């Protein structure tokens, strides 16, 4: 008989683990030597409820005193890691609740500990694969042929709440069972794709995953904002189809036969939760493996490492992203991940036989050394930018140093908004440096030419910024077309401006002048004065340029970068004719967004709205001068959220003086824009103080993108770095 101590007396232990162990105790397979919990009173209550002789808070002492040979760990992921490692060091067999840890790095430590004690049986408690209905259905399936398609669904009524401990580790909830059952049925995937959605308040709570492998595909849906709790699994293979509703019911359909309904009670003789969900059979498998009556569990700590590798890959995927996976490999030449050196890593990478990101995450560049990451923003800026759960995943993998600690031994640096500039002299002292992440778009303050020459990866968070700036662009487009600022001023000044848009026009003045002979002779003098009066009276509406919809208009994007891509996406519902003036956009991307490539002249002359999205270089400085601005049609709106110096300022002021276009500007030649500047005096300008990307949401997005870049780098994946060609085109 196996003597076992249960550690952790929370709700899942009392609901499932202890009843399952009590059943095995009745069957003469297990002796429950004691229960432990950090809360001694919780342990005492559990011991009384299940008639267990000992309780306490010191599990190691209890093991020594009772002579127990196994432990079952029912504490949350993260705390279970060191517990499992310590238990293995005592020579104990270990089962731990799913998942084995909070990250692959932690799971790798558990796998290392298990590898160091091959005499010990280890098991991660994924009970659904032991549920009687699942084992019967999968055995019947494999007799006919391997499944080729799997669908898993988990829903829970938790609208607006956290799906699990934290938003980032949603997979530690019952969603982990869905993922595990997909692996048990279809094998480990070669490629994954992730989509996320938010329903109600709180974090992303509706997830869909696609797992593609050699035998077929799995589609998994996790909905933590549904109306009820459901666990439904379906798979099919040659000549059969299975529908499983755990824990109680299943349907089996086989070619040429009637659909059969199976119930768990028919297999177990009862409808007990802990039996139907597989807890009893799971423990029986663990005990039989310890006694040598069965093979070791498939869900060993080595499997736990591969499982958490997959979880980390899923969490690293951005919405809509897909990525290739390296094969699962919990052991490399029988050696511990934590003890291998740079030469081993280089050789294994060359042969393509290792999960690279697990090696880098463990600091394999030097034996025992963790990557050093220096963040140059102060504490308040970090609090604005960095999500706590995502930051926790990063700091598990590296030595995280804050501002003021020096960068000489840094492997990676985060700077940018709120961070100090980096000179070549300072960077030359950072001999280990491999990555610089700039929170923001411009990288000019980190000596980028030197870093690229040295082979250091330079990344920014331009895509995260682009989403907010694009919204600001759309705001300025609509405000310019609808003359919102003019109407607002008129409402404050006169109370109710005309709604029929019959504003005083040059045409009306012209008719008056023609009827009065003395005025006809003064036309050369009156014409410019009339334009100025009309511009002031009509708020810049000008002749023939009344308020306008955005829907159906021609919109020209001058340049094609992160912001322009987001703008194009935002314009899609408006059915605009989209023109793009750029040499860097591909024909395929133009086709995807429904745009047409044009030269600058056609863009300026054809569009109702022109939006600038170029970086500032010597070639683009002043690219819109008097000749180019003259091409703008009356009623056009010029939007500039890129760089002020893209436009010749004197030429722009002169063109605005005609009163027939609107300029909506967020950037200027000199910032801040001085009091009394001519742009401030023109009524047909909409001015914002270079704040297109200063929303709290943007700050969170740029921080998240910076941490995602860092996680990918720590994981050994390629990061989207700025190359020389792109650097030349940047501001």
């Amino acid at each position: 008989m196996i003597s076992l101590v249960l550690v952790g007396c929370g709700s899942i232990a009392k609901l499932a683990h202890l009843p399952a162990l009590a059943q095995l105790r009745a069957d003469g397979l297990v002796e429950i030597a004691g229960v432990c919990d950090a809360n001694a009173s919780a342990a005492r209550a559990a011991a009384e409820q299940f008639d267990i002789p000992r309780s306490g808070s010191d599990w190691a002492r209890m093991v020594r005193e009772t002579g127990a040979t196994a432990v079952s760990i029912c504490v949350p992921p993260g705390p279970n890691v060191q517990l499992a490692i310590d238990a293995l060091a005592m020579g104990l067999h270990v089962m731990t609740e799913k998942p084995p840890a909070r990250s692959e790095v932690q799971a790798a430590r558990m796998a290392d500990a298990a590898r160091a004690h091959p005499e010990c049986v280890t098991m991660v408690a994924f009970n659904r694969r032991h549920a009687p209905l699942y084992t019967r259905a999968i055995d019947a399936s494999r007799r006919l042929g391997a499944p080729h398609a799997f669908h898993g669904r988990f829903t829970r009524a938790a609208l607006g709440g956290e799906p699990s401990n934290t938003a980032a580790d949603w997979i530690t909830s019952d969603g982990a069972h869905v993922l595990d059952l997909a692996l048990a049925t279809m094998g480990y995937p070669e490629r994954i794709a992730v989509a996320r959605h938010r329903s109600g308040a709180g974090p992303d709570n509706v997830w869909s995953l696609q797992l593609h492998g050699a035998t077929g595909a799995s589609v998994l849906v996790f909905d933590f904002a549904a109306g009820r709790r459901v666990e439904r699994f379906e798979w099919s293979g040659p000549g059969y189809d299975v529908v499983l509703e755990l824990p109680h019911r299943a349907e089996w359909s086989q070619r040429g036969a009637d659909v059969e309904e199976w119930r768990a009670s028919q297999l177990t003789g009862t409808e007990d939760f802990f039996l139907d969900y597989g807890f009893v059979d799971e423990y029986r498998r663990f005990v039989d493996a310890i006694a040598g009556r069965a093979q070791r569990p498939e869900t060993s700590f080595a499997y736990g490492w591969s499982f958490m590798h997959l979880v980390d890959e899923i969490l690293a995927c951005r919405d809509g992203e897909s990525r290739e996976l390296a094969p699962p490999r919990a052991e490399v030449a029988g050696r511990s991940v934590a003890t291998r050196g740079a030469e081993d890593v280089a050789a294994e990478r060359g042969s393509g036989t290792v999960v690279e990101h697990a090696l880098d995450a463990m600091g394999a560049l030097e034996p025992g050394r963790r990557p050093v990451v220096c963040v140059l923003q102060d504490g308040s800026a970090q609090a604005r930018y960095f999500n706590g759960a995502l930051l926790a995943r990063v700091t598990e993998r590296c030595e995280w140093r804050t501002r003021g600690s020096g960068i000489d031994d840094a492997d990676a640096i985060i700077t940018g908004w709120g961070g100090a500039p980096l000179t070549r002299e300072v960077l030359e002292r950072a001999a280990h440096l491999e990555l610089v992440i700039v929170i923001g778009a411009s990288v000019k303050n980190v000596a980028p030419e030197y870093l690229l020459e040295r082979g250091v990866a330079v990344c920014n968070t331009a895509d995260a910024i682009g989403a907010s700036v694009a919204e600001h662009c759309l705001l300025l487009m609509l405000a310019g077309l609808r003359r919102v600022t003019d109407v607002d001023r008129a409402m404050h000044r006169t109370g109710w401006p005309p709604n029929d848009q019959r504003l005083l026009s040059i045409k009306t003045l012209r008719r008056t002048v023609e009827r009065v002979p003395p005025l006809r002779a003064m036309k050369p003098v009156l014409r410019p004065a009339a334009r100025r009066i009309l511009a002031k009276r009509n708020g810049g509406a000008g002749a023939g340029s009344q308020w306008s919809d955005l829907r159906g208009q021609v919109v020209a994007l001058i340049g094609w970068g992160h912001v322009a891509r987001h703008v194009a996406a935002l314009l899609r519902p408006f059915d605009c004719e989209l023109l793009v003036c750029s040499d860097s956009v591909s024909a395929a991307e133009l086709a995807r967004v429904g745009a047409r490539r044009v030269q600058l002249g056609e863009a300026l002359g054809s569009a109702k709205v022109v939006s600038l999205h170029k970086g500032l270089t010597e070639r683009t400085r002043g690219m819109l001068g008097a000749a180019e601005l003259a091409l703008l049609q009356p009623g056009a709106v010029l939007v500039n959220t890129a760089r002020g110096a893209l436009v010749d300022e004197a030429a722009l002021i002169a063109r605005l003086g005609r009163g027939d276009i609107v300029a909506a500007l967020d950037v200027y030649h000199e910032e801040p824009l001085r009091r009394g500047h001519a742009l401030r005096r023109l009524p047909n300008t909409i001015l914002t103080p270079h704040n297109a990307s200063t929303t709290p949401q943007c700050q969170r997005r740029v921080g998240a993108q910076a941490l995602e870049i860092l996680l990918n780098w720590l994981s050994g994946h390629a990061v989207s770095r700025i190359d020389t060609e792109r650097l030349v085109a940047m501001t």
Side-chain angles (χ1 to χ4, degrees), residues 41-75:
S41 61
R44 186 165 54 252
E48 291 173 358
Q49 181 181 351
F50 291 94
D51 193 23
I52 298 169
R54 298 178 66 111
S55 68
S57 56
D58 188 340
W59 68 270
R61 178 180 177 182
M62 186 177 293
V63 164
R64 288 192 295 270
E65 291 178 351
T66 62
T69 56
V71 292
S72 176
I73 300 172
C74 296
V75 300

Side-chain angles (χ1 to χ4, degrees), residues 129-426:
R129 63 165 66 207
H130 299 280
L133 285 174
Y134 175 76
T135 56
R136 177 177 179 180
I138 194 64
D139 289 345
S141 299
R142 287 173 177 155
R143 284 195 294 271
L144 298 176
H148 52 236
F150 180 93
H151 180 272
R153 171 186 164 200
F154 176 81
T155 68
R156 194 177 82 186
L159 183 63
E162 299 281 348
S164 65
N165 306 42
T166 67
D169 73 347
W170 61 274
I171 200 75
T172 63
S173 73
D174 289 322
H177 288 297
V178 180
L179 184 58
D180 172 68
L181 217 56
L183 301 186
T185 307
M186 302 297 297
Y188 203 83
E190 299 171 349
R191 182 165 54 88
I192 61 173
V194 177
R196 296 179 290 179
H197 175 67
R198 179 183 302 169
S199 178
D204 293 335
N205 51 18
V206 181
W207 295 63
S208 62
L209 314 180
Q210 295 180 31
L211 312 179
H212 300 272
T215 59
S218 300
V219 177
L220 312 182
V221 176
F222 306 91
D223 186 347
F224 296 93
R228 60 173 178 161
R229 180 186 175 109
V230 173
E231 287 187 56
R232 186 181 177 94
F233 308 97
E234 303 177 29
W235 66 88
S236 54
Y240 65 86
D241 186 83
V242 180
V243 177
L244 204 64
E245 291 184 355
L246 288 181
H248 299 308
R249 195 186 74 85
E251 288 181 358
W252 170 265
S253 177
Q254 190 171 337
R255 184 185 296 128
D258 293 335
V259 175
E260 299 179 28
E261 179 174 331
W262 300 342
R263 299 202 65 86
S265 57
Q266 297 169 342
L267 306 177
T268 63
T270 181
E271 286 197 359
D272 288 332
F273 170 89
F274 58 89
L275 207 58
D276 291 356
Y277 259 131
F279 290 100
V280 170
D281 287 333
E282 179 178 52
Y283 269 107
R284 186 174 283 116
R285 180 66 181 275
F286 178 58
V287 169
D288 286 348
I290 294 172
R293 294 188 296 267
Q295 293 182 340
R296 291 184 171 231
E298 296 90 343
T299 56
S300 66
F301 285 3
Y303 170 81
W305 181 6
S306 296
F307 182 86
M308 290 309 298
H309 165 54
L310 178 57
V311 169
D312 275 11
E313 292 283 358
I314 291 168
L315 294 176
C317 274
R318 303 177 68 185
D319 182 31
E321 182 186 356
S322 64
R323 60 174 63 189
E324 302 292 324
L325 296 182
R329 186 172 295 272
E331 298 182 25
V332 180
R335 298 186 55 194
S336 165
V337 170
T339 58
R340 282 175 292 136
E343 296 82 2
D344 300 319
V345 175
E348 288 161 353
R349 283 180 176 169
S351 63
T353 60
V354 68
V355 180
E356 295 181 7
H357 84 286
L359 303 181
D360 285 345
M362 294 300 293
L365 295 176
E366 296 177 16
R369 182 177 181 272
R370 303 179 77 206
V372 175
V373 177
C374 294
V375 56
L376 304 188
Q377 280 81 7
D378 62 24
S380 62
Q382 291 185 49
R384 290 196 305 273
Y385 297 142
F386 300 139
N387 171 276
L390 192 56
L391 183 60
R393 291 180 56 215
V394 169
T395 55
E396 283 177 349
R397 298 166 176 244
C398 64
E399 183 179 334
W400 180 267
R401 295 185 184 172
T402 54
R403 188 173 182 170
S405 56
I407 66 166
D408 289 4
D409 60 345
D411 297 288
I413 295 172
I414 298 178
T415 186
W417 293 351
L422 296 172
T423 64
R424 175 169 181 155
E425 292 71 28
V426 170

